[in-house]
Amino acid sequence: MLARLKAGAAQRAVPSWRTRPCGMLSPQELERRIAEGERLAAAVETDAATAETAARALVTRLDDEQATGRPTRGQHFATEAGHLLDQAQTRLATAREHLQAAFTAAGHAEERTRYLATLAETAGRGRLALRLADTSWKEHRELTRRLSAERAEHQAAEAAARRPPRSGGGLGAGHAEPVRRAPRRGRPAGARPG
């Protein structure tokens, strides 16, 4: 009995010849779909053959260029891009140096300003107070003059570091020349208004 049940299960697994695996399509529709599939397959094979021919031509061209030593278009592009990246990195390094110099100069100028503020507090003291502080008016004036000069130098260095360079490949290159105004009508270029 068990063998008969197993045989019946195997028979039920095989679909009936009366059922259509493609559903309810008519034989004409099936023929049309088969023809469409064959046409699409032929078109894809044609496209593949064209792509393979183009790939072989490209490989041949690249081999010829490599054999003659001529650079490819991609190598030209990569070389130009490499030059641009090198210039950008150089300009970035220059900008960082300028900003670091400006930051350092600003710190030194601020330090001199604090020293001058401390000296300004002692400016009104008398000669005896200065002598007790182990200094004199002459030393006080000399120190104030020196610190003022150093502060001015550091402020000038900071301003110079923040300003774009006048020439070369640094920041602002190409923008260093001032904009010239056109002369007004009715007056020569160098004439002053009366």
Side-chain angles (χ1 to χ4, degrees):
M1 173 113 175
L2 185 62
R4 214 171 5 154
L5 286 174
K6 285 184 181 178
Q11 287 178 352
R12 282 190 299 273
V14 175
S16 170
W17 64 274
R18 295 180 186 209
T19 60
R20 291 179 172 245
C22 293
M24 300 304 291
L25 296 177
S26 66
Q28 293 84 12
E29 180 63 21
L30 289 175
E31 290 294 326
R32 189 191 66 75
R33 286 190 180 187
I34 291 171
E36 179 71 18
E38 289 175 355
R39 186 187 62 77
L40 288 175
V44 168
E45 285 185 15
T46 303
D47 291 344
T50 304
E52 187 176 345
T53 303
R56 284 185 184 150
L58 179 62
V59 166
T60 303
R61 183 174 60 91
L62 291 176
D63 288 342
D64 290 344
E65 287 176 352
Q66 188 175 14
T68 60
R70 289 183 306 176
T72 62
R73 287 184 295 169
Q75 290 170 336
H76 280 296
F77 179 76
T79 303
E80 291 174 8
H83 289 304
L84 287 176
L85 287 174
D86 290 344
Q87 289 176 357
Q89 287 175 346
T90 302
R91 289 182 181 186
L92 180 62
T94 303
R96 284 183 178 152
E97 290 172 6
H98 283 258
L99 287 176
Q100 183 61 38
F103 180 74
T104 303
H108 289 307
E110 180 64 31
E111 182 181 2
R112 298 314 187 268
T113 302
R114 283 195 307 271
Y115 290 157
L116 286 170
T118 304
L119 285 176
E121 291 175 4
T122 62
R125 295 186 182 171
R127 184 175 155 234
L128 185 59
L130 288 174
R131 188 50 67 192
L132 289 174
D134 200 26
T135 187
S136 67
W137 278 109
K138 183 178 178 182
E139 288 177 352
H140 191 275
R141 282 192 304 267
E142 178 61 31
L143 186 59
T144 302
R145 185 196 61 74
R146 185 175 59 84
L147 289 175
S148 296
E150 287 177 6
R151 180 180 63 179
E153 287 175 13
H154 289 300
Q155 287 172 341
E158 177 188 7
R162 291 189 186 275
R163 192 177 21 231
R166 291 285 178 190
S167 63
L171 286 176
H175 302 289
E177 291 192 24
V179 176
R180 297 177 191 229
R181 299 166 103 185
R184 292 186 178 173
R185 287 185 289 180
R187 190 176 340 141
R192 291 186 177 174

